[in-house]
Amino acid sequence: MAARNKARKRAFQILFEADQRGASAQEVLADWVRHARSDDRQPPVSEYTMELVEGYTQYAGRIDELIATYAEGWALDRMPVVDRNILRLGAYELVWVDGTPDAVVIDEAVQLAKEFSTDESPSFVNGMMARFKDLKPKLRRD
């Protein structure tokens, strides 16, 4: 598994855990880093994982607003937790991170949905990410 793929998966897991615990993503990230440093069996948290989690945290309010606005028929708090956190991570990386092709970010989000969510989730995630891609120039200006 490629390093960035692993980093995205770990960032998703951190966001998911934070959502489930009702904790901040930064608090959970700190727990993961601390655990990796104190237990040789735990893999280290990569720099890119930290960048993704910290970046998401910076734009969390705006990202949740975007998801709630464009997820037709889904209130953010009623959306499956897995899907919500895949979209949070994907939206951040797609809109605010330069250097990764949009198609790669979208594909990675869809792959996470295939691995961790329901049969309907990959198409839902793909549609939402495509919408964010189309809106990207406007979203970056806002």
Side-chain angles (χ1 to χ4, degrees):
M1 185 181 310
R4 288 224 167 175
N5 181 281
K6 278 186 191 176
R8 284 183 193 94
K9 186 181 280 190
R10 290 222 169 104
F12 156 70
Q13 291 169 326
I14 289 168
L15 295 183
F16 178 85
E17 182 179 331
D19 201 350
Q20 289 293 291
R21 286 178 36 194
S24 74
Q26 288 178 310
E27 179 183 338
V28 174
L29 174 61
D31 290 346
W32 279 51
V33 169
R34 197 170 26 260
H35 194 159
R37 287 182 182 153
S38 65
D39 186 345
D40 292 343
R41 296 170 295 176
Q42 297 300 317
V45 177
S46 75
E47 192 67 36
Y48 196 61
T49 297
M50 289 188 266
E51 287 176 32
L52 290 172
V53 172
E54 291 167 355
Y56 159 73
T57 301
Q58 180 181 352
Y59 295 99
R62 179 70 176 125
I63 290 168
D64 282 357
E65 178 184 305
L66 291 171
I67 295 169
T69 299
Y70 295 104
E72 296 176 17
W74 284 103
L76 192 64
D77 62 341
R78 303 276 306 169
M79 187 178 293
V81 178
V82 169
D83 297 357
R84 178 172 59 231
N85 286 289
I86 290 170
L87 290 172
R88 285 172 168 165
L89 178 63
Y92 166 69
E93 190 173 17
L94 182 70
V95 176
W96 287 282
V97 176
D98 294 322
T100 304
D102 293 348
V104 172
V105 175
I106 293 169
D107 184 61
E108 291 277 336
V110 170
Q111 291 305 314
L112 285 170
K114 286 179 180 177
E115 184 173 348
F116 292 104
S117 200
T118 68
D119 290 342
E120 296 81 28
S121 293
S123 61
F124 173 68
V125 167
N126 188 57
M128 290 287 292
M129 293 295 292
R131 181 72 171 140
F132 295 152
K133 178 183 177 267
D134 292 344
L135 295 168
K136 182 177 177 175
K138 179 188 180 317
L139 297 175
R140 286 188 80 154
R141 284 193 308 268
D142 290 348

